[in-house]
Amino acid sequence: MDALVAQLQMQYRNYTVSLYQQGFLDDQFTELKKLQDDASPDFVAEVLSLFFEDCVKLIGNMARALDQTGTVDFSQVGASVHQLKGSSSSVGAKRVKGLCITFKEYCEANNYEGCVRCLQQVDIEFKALQTKLQDMFNLEKQIIQAGGKVPQVDIN
Amino acid sequence: MEVCNCIEPQWPADELLMKYQYISDFFIAVAYFSIPLELIYFVKKSAVFPYRWVLVQFGAFIVLCGATHLINLWTFTTHSRTVALVMTTAKVLTAVVSCATALMLVHIIPDLLSVKTRELFLKNKAAELDREMGLIRTQEETGRHVRMLTHEIRSTLDRHTILKTTLVELGRTLALEECALWMPTRTGLELQLSYTLRQQHPVEYTVPIQLPVINQVFGTSRAVKISPNSPVARLRPVSGKYLLGEVVAVRVPLLHLSNFQINDWPELSTKRYALMVLMLPSDSARQWHVHELELVEVVADQVAVALSHAAILEESMRARDLLMEQNVALDIARREAETAIRARNDFLAVMNHEMRTPMHAIIALSSLLQETELTPEQRLMVETVLKSSSLLATLMNDVLDLSRLEDGSLQLELGTFNLHTLFREVLNLIKPIAVVKKLPITLNLAPDLPEFVVGDEKRLMQIILNIVGNAVKFSKQGSITVTALVTKSDNRAPPDFFVVPTGSHFYLRVKVKDLGAGINPQDIPKLFTKFAQTQSLATRSSGGSGLGLAISKRFVNLMEGNIWIESDGVGKGCTAIFDVKLGISNESKQSGIPKVPANPQHANFAGLKVLVMDENGVSRMVTKGLLVHLGCEVTTVSSSEECLRVVSHEHKVVFMDVCMPGVENYQIAIRIHEKFTKRHQRPLLVALTGNTDKSTKEKCMSFGLDGVLLKPVSLDNMRNVLSDLLEHRVLYEAM
């Protein structure tokens, strides 16, 4: 059994490190993990699910705002982007945050095509992140089920 | 009157007589008729006359008499039979009435006489009552005088005024010629003339107190008449007065404060009396009346009371003045003491700093010197220098610590540390010396002794070091045992100390036993006093200032523990035992973050109420999680309106997200400032923002925020920030 645990842990570790290396996650995610303890064991999961809900909602808002035939309310789009940027930086979703910054610039420049493009990218990005994180959580569950402890991954 | 019908006396010689009779009869009749008229008139006028019937009778009698006389007029000449008849009738009637009247008068006259006597009696009585009333009035006036006198006397509490007023008023009331007061002198053997009413007297005019007349007066509480020639009464210049007025003397008891015990009317066992002498005017034939004597006695009593009141007042005023003086002196002394303490503290602070700096230099440079190439002699010298300066540094620290401990300004620095490691370190420090002295040291740690504890590591080490050091110092042979265990209540402890282990704390007991010099049981209490040393001259060379145990005791007390020493006597070694309270920590690594939030490491964060305002749900949750992890009690709001509604003086910090473009977010800061006018009630305001350039910082400052944080905040960052914030109440460098 221990061998399985060790293997799973190794797998988990590698996966996590890859996420960081690929730029999906940054230090803020590490901080987030630090906040998880016996008092709030599912803290990270809760925050992330909230984040993903937020993403869906905000992306929906932006899509609607950009879908207007006629004058597009760039300020509204900008507000949503700002929110998304805040959320993503709070959870450590590095790529999403980066996209939001670019997105914001396009909004301020009232660049319709740019905004639309960014929106698509954001959508793709956040879904990808969601998948990856889901995999990571699954690995964690497996480790716990196998009787082991989820290892603390030190990125630096 | 003879009436003769048959004989006609016709004597011319008798005509003159007849004429006179005629006239007299006429006048008599007239008079007789007028008397009743007068009577009726006057009786009608008077309201009271009880004898109407008598009057009528008398009137009738008179009238009839008059009628008789009138009819007589006709009988002088020859008259008819009718006249005679009328005459007879009249006479008969007159006779009847007169007899009746006579009979009546027998009854009435005594009555009338007695009226007269009663009248006289009543007059006498009235005169007597008048006299008596005069007397009463005099008495009442005298009484009024007494009351006024008393009032005058008692209205002042000044001794002299009382006595002077007494004499004046008495003199006035009783119209005395002279009035004098003799007071006993200090020695009590003489009476000195203190006050007189009218005359000036030579100073120091005294009479001996043992005169018979004086004894007589002092012997009774009543006023006594004395001879005008007695020495106390010989006050007036004897200038040929014929008859000296009567003199009365009365005693005035002088009561002392001590006579007024509770429930105890002052008994006149005091035997101190003054003498009041009163003299009536000479040549006046006035005598002392009883009521006047009574007045004098009453006055004397009142004077006694008034004097005692004056004495009490004097006493209390004196006491109060004394008290005020003492208060002033105490105040000055206290201020001086405070100044002295302040001066000492200032001195200590300054000197400490001034002394430490060169000290550090010496120690540091000596250590460095030790590392270089030295000859053995040089090495020895350098070592001595180092040792001495270390000792001096320790001494300075001790002195400063002790003074801070005594002021109560020392606070323990709590932290988590490894207890086992601590003991081992202490032992390592002591081992060299012990090895040199060939004293084996053993360390016994109880198996249930927690490894990681919360407490003041440095001070605890100081204590253990001090005690173990003492054990080594004062032992020439034998072994030293250091035992550490968790103490339970059935272990022996000094009688007035009860150990109550609570949930997250425990009491550590450390016993250091040595088989060295031992201590005389009588000296044990002195051990913990500063600067007291009990070693003989031989061991004095081991150094030390005698402060070690005193300081250790203070530290132990600060840790809510107790320290004592047991010894079986000189030469039989001794055991030093102390208990201290430590907290239990679950930490597996040193100085780590506590994994159990219920037992947060940093006491300042536990239960700290904070408010987080963030429109973004995700970042709100993250910030909340961060703060909860640090042990705070977090409330979250998502808008500034909600924030204003929810914020209270219980919240110590408000974290507000100001990421949104525009100035609106900062308004909340202004509104919070307005809401809490008292500075200490206002929560600290920290802005969470995505950019931290200078303009943002300036903007935050201008809106009255106490700090700015860059989002996202790491755990360590937040912890540091909170510490800084709570300590300094402002934070503008943490970025």
Side-chain angles (χ1 to χ4, degrees):
Chain A
M1 224 32 184
D2 280 331
L4 177 63
V5 168
Q7 192 197 11
L8 282 171
Q9 285 177 337
M10 170 79 88
Q11 218 178 337
Y12 174 78
R13 204 177 277 121
N14 290 342
Y15 193 70
T16 313
V17 169
S18 74
L19 282 182
Y20 278 93
Q21 284 173 342
Q22 288 167 29
F24 281 103
L25 299 171
D26 65 13
D27 289 333
Q28 180 55 22
F29 190 75
T30 325
E31 290 294 321
L32 216 65
K33 294 209 89 172
K34 278 195 208 169
L35 299 181
Q36 182 161 297
D37 53 27
D38 295 334
S40 38
D42 295 317
F43 181 66
V44 179
E46 283 167 10
V47 174
L48 285 172
S49 57
L50 189 63
F51 169 65
F52 289 130
E53 280 170 23
D54 223 25
C55 276
V56 170
K57 190 179 73 183
L58 287 169
I59 289 176
N61 283 352
M62 288 189 269
R64 264 192 305 269
L66 286 172
D67 214 9
Q68 306 276 4
T69 43
T71 44
V72 173
D73 192 356
F74 281 106
S75 59
Q76 201 182 355
V77 180
S80 300
V81 171
H82 185 88
Q83 290 277 3
L84 191 59
K85 175 165 156 252
S87 304
S88 55
S89 63
S90 295
V91 298
K94 191 167 170 186
R95 281 200 191 173
V96 179
K97 185 176 86 176
L99 275 173
C100 285
I101 296 174
T102 327
F103 200 154
K104 200 155 178 199
E105 284 167 16
Y106 282 135
C107 277
E108 277 159 22
N110 288 7
N111 186 337
Y112 184 74
E113 279 85 31
C115 287
V116 169
R117 233 187 338 200
C118 274
L119 183 62
Q120 285 170 344
Q121 279 176 314
V122 165
D123 195 37
I124 294 168
E125 238 1 278
F126 111 84
K127 285 199 172 112
L129 181 63
Q130 196 171 18
T131 321
K132 297 268 181 194
L133 285 175
Q134 195 59 51
D135 287 339
M136 197 178 82
F137 282 130
N138 287 341
L139 268 173
E140 280 184 6
K141 264 194 238 155
Q142 282 177 353
I143 294 175
I144 292 175
Q145 273 172 0
K149 215 173 68 155
V150 179
Q152 206 125 341
V153 183
D154 234 336
I155 303 304
N156 309 334
Chain B
M1 189 149 259
E2 290 170 59
V3 177
C4 177
N5 285 344
C6 45
I7 302 169
E8 269 185 358
Q10 305 251 327
W11 299 336
D14 296 319
E15 243 180 66
L16 202 61
L17 282 170
M18 285 299 216
K19 257 198 186 90
Y20 282 127
Q21 276 189 1
Y22 190 80
I23 295 171
S24 316
D25 267 335
F26 177 71
F27 273 112
I28 289 171
V30 166
Y32 274 23
F33 279 129
S34 55
I35 286 174
L37 287 174
E38 284 168 19
L39 271 174
I40 290 171
Y41 175 70
F42 282 113
V43 166
K44 272 233 159 62
K45 272 222 148 169
S46 88
V48 177
F49 194 75
Y51 302 112
R52 285 252 151 114
W53 177 240
V54 172
L55 206 63
V56 167
Q57 255 183 332
F58 200 63
F61 161 64
I62 299 276
V63 163
L64 284 171
C65 275
T68 314
H69 281 285
L70 195 63
I71 296 172
N72 234 13
L73 291 176
W74 273 271
T75 56
F76 285 114
T77 49
T78 43
H79 46 278
S80 60
R81 193 172 166 84
T82 34
V83 173
L85 201 63
V86 169
M87 187 77 200
T88 319
T89 323
K91 279 209 177 140
V92 168
L93 279 173
T94 312
V96 167
V97 173
S98 10
C99 287
T101 312
L103 283 170
M104 201 52 68
L105 279 176
V106 170
H107 293 285
I108 289 177
I109 290 184
D111 267 350
L112 285 176
L113 283 176
S114 78
V115 163
K116 244 344 195 184
T117 32
R118 234 181 289 146
E119 188 192 314
L120 207 64
F121 174 70
L122 282 171
K123 254 203 218 124
N124 282 348
K125 223 13 184 211
E128 203 179 298
L129 281 171
D130 263 337
R131 269 201 306 277
E132 259 177 42
M133 200 164 83
L135 220 66
I136 289 175
R137 220 181 280 135
T138 329
Q139 270 180 345
E140 199 232 289
E141 237 178 69
T142 321
R144 212 166 356 105
H145 277 288
V146 171
R147 273 197 297 282
M148 186 200 40
L149 225 146
T150 314
H151 180 257
E152 288 290 319
I153 293 173
R154 300 283 290 273
S155 68
T156 169
L157 287 169
D158 174 43
R159 202 189 176 86
H160 293 283
T161 322
I162 291 175
L163 293 171
K164 208 80 191 128
T165 316
T166 313
L167 296 183
V168 164
E169 292 298 324
L170 266 181
R172 219 187 19 223
T173 311
L174 299 173
L176 300 171
E177 177 177 358
E178 181 60 88
C179 192
L181 192 72
W182 300 77
M183 301 280 278
T185 56
R186 213 172 297 257
T187 56
L189 295 174
E190 291 180 322
L191 282 180
Q192 185 182 10
L193 185 59
S194 314
Y195 305 92
T196 52
L197 184 56
R198 297 195 206 284
Q199 266 139 13
Q200 300 295 8
H201 51 273
V203 177
E204 304 285 339
Y205 183 34
T206 60
V207 295
I209 209 170
Q210 290 302 331
L211 290 180
V213 59
I214 296 180
N215 282 339
Q216 183 195 5
V217 175
F218 280 1
T220 169
S221 65
R222 310 196 57 93
V224 174
K225 290 208 189 99
I226 60 175
S227 151
N229 288 322
S230 53
V232 289
R234 232 184 283 133
L235 300 169
R236 301 166 277 201
V238 186
S239 50
K241 290 230 165 57
Y242 182 59
L243 184 66
L244 297 171
E246 287 199 344
V247 180
V248 142
V250 69
R251 72 176 186 186
V252 178
L254 297 171
L255 300 167
H256 274 287
L257 207 59
S258 52
N259 292 117
F260 288 99
Q261 302 303 322
I262 305 178
N263 299 331
D264 198 18
W265 244 159
E267 258 126 34
L268 301 179
S269 54
T270 154
K271 298 267 190 293
R272 264 184 60 120
Y273 300 110
L275 189 73
M276 195 152 58
V277 176
L278 307 126
M279 290 169 235
L280 288 179
S282 326
D283 299 337
S284 72
R286 243 184 75 186
Q287 299 231 319
W288 281 100
H289 298 260
V290 172
H291 73 270
E292 287 172 343
L293 293 179
E294 277 173 8
L295 181 129
V296 167
E297 284 157 24
V298 165
V299 168
D301 277 334
Q302 289 299 319
V303 167
V305 172
L307 282 176
S308 60
H309 283 189
I312 292 176
L313 180 76
E314 236 173 79
E315 195 63 42
S316 76
M317 301 273 278
R318 217 191 0 248
R320 191 194 61 168
D321 285 338
L322 200 67
L323 207 63
M324 269 171 45
E325 261 174 49
Q326 278 176 344
N327 271 358
V328 166
L330 276 173
D331 206 30
I332 293 176
R334 181 181 60 95
R335 262 199 290 263
E336 277 175 9
E338 278 176 4
T339 322
I341 290 179
R342 259 199 303 272
R344 182 203 67 173
N345 284 349
D346 289 339
F347 170 75
L348 276 177
V350 165
M351 283 316 289
N352 179 54
H353 177 74
E354 296 300 319
M355 288 198 291
R356 270 203 231 253
T357 323
M359 206 77 258
H360 285 158
I362 296 173
I363 294 177
L365 292 174
S366 313
S367 318
L368 280 176
L369 197 57
Q370 241 184 356
E371 306 290 316
T372 64
E373 286 263 341
L374 295 169
T375 70
E377 288 160 356
Q378 285 174 327
R379 188 162 289 278
L380 200 63
M381 287 193 253
V382 168
E383 272 174 13
T384 316
V385 165
L386 202 53
K387 231 191 308 190
S388 314
S389 39
S390 297
L391 206 66
L392 194 57
T394 317
L395 187 65
M396 279 177 356
N397 285 345
D398 279 358
V399 169
L400 188 70
D401 269 351
L402 197 61
S403 64
R404 281 219 328 252
L405 278 171
E406 286 183 332
D407 289 347
S409 57
L410 193 79
Q411 278 173 330
L412 295 175
E413 291 158 21
L414 299 171
T416 318
F417 59 93
N418 189 328
L419 197 59
H420 296 231
T421 322
L422 183 90
F423 277 106
R424 276 192 279 274
E425 255 182 66
V426 168
L427 241 66
N428 287 342
L429 282 170
I430 290 289
K431 254 212 179 33
I433 312 175
V435 161
V436 163
K437 286 182 93 166
K438 298 210 182 38
L439 301 164
I441 305 189
T442 23
L443 174 65
N444 295 330
L445 297 178
D448 60 347
L449 197 69
E451 197 177 334
F452 292 99
V453 297
V454 179
D456 191 333
E457 184 183 6
K458 194 172 83 162
R459 305 272 165 59
L460 185 61
M461 183 185 299
Q462 205 172 340
I463 298 171
I464 304 175
L465 208 54
N466 180 257
I467 303 225
V468 177
N470 276 352
V472 169
K473 228 194 296 183
F474 295 118
S475 298
K476 292 230 184 62
Q477 83 277 354
S479 70
I480 298 178
T481 330
V482 178
T483 321
L485 40 93
V486 173
T487 187
K488 300 169 187 69
S489 51
D490 49 310
N491 280 9
R492 232 200 67 169
D496 54 352
F497 185 65
F498 296 101
V499 171
V500 182
T502 57
S504 58
H505 299 274
F506 74 101
Y507 280 88
L508 166 74
R509 173 167 292 187
V510 177
K511 284 204 264 216
V512 178
K513 184 171 165 62
D514 72 66
L515 294 166
I519 304 174
N520 198 331
Q522 291 171 337
D523 287 334
I524 290 185
K526 275 197 276 175
L527 282 170
F528 293 101
T529 50
K530 294 189 298 187
F531 308 120
Q533 303 202 41
T534 58
Q535 329 84 306
S536 55
L537 220 50
T539 47
R540 200 178 277 278
S541 58
S542 50
S545 60
L547 282 177
L549 275 180
I551 293 183
S552 299
K553 182 177 164 92
R554 297 254 183 346
F555 281 139
V556 166
N557 286 342
L558 266 181
M559 295 186 194
E560 296 176 48
N562 206 355
I563 179 170
W564 68 101
I565 292 194
E566 295 165 8
S567 175
D568 291 327
V570 178
K572 299 206 182 87
C574 75
T575 313
I577 311 177
F578 70 87
D579 293 332
V580 287
K581 186 175 176 184
L582 296 170
I584 306 176
S585 160
N586 298 1
E587 201 30 51
S588 58
K589 45 179 192 196
Q590 252 183 328
S591 69
I593 314 152
K595 290 272 183 217
V596 184
N599 209 1
Q601 276 289 8
H602 299 268
N604 23 344
F605 294 167
L608 182 74
K609 280 197 161 182
V610 297
L611 185 67
V612 172
M613 185 196 92
D614 195 334
E615 288 174 347
N616 187 315
V618 175
S619 55
R620 197 166 59 229
M621 191 170 173
V622 173
T623 314
K624 175 175 176 172
L626 197 60
L627 290 165
V628 163
H629 195 78
L630 287 174
C632 304
E633 217 182 280
V634 185
T635 323
T636 54
V637 292
S638 55
S639 70
S640 20
E641 286 82 29
E642 212 185 325
C643 177
L644 268 180
R645 248 189 300 120
V646 170
V647 76
S648 75
H649 66 269
E650 288 181 338
H651 296 111
K652 296 281 178 276
V653 190
V654 174
F655 291 95
M656 53 182 70
D657 179 285
V658 294
C659 276
M660 289 299 294
V663 198
E664 306 82 45
N665 311 292
Y666 297 97
Q667 293 294 340
I668 177 79
I670 298 182
R671 302 267 280 283
I672 290 188
H673 270 275
E674 282 168 11
K675 187 166 174 181
F676 298 96
T677 45
K678 291 210 193 77
R679 203 173 174 272
H680 65 272
Q681 278 186 345
R682 181 174 66 77
L684 295 163
L685 304 171
V686 179
L688 297 166
T689 170
N691 62 333
T692 55
D693 51 12
K694 202 155 182 239
S695 61
T696 317
K697 268 204 233 179
E698 279 172 0
K699 202 195 267 186
C700 287
M701 271 170 69
S702 71
F703 278 96
L705 284 134
D706 300 297
V708 182
L709 271 181
L710 177 62
K711 267 189 12 175
V713 192
S714 73
L715 188 64
D716 290 330
N717 209 4
M718 182 61 97
R719 193 187 303 117
N720 294 337
V721 157
L722 271 181
S723 305
D724 270 342
L725 204 60
L726 292 172
E727 203 176 309
H728 302 125
R729 293 195 72 81
V730 82
L731 176 82
Y732 274 105
E733 345 6 295
M735 288 304 160

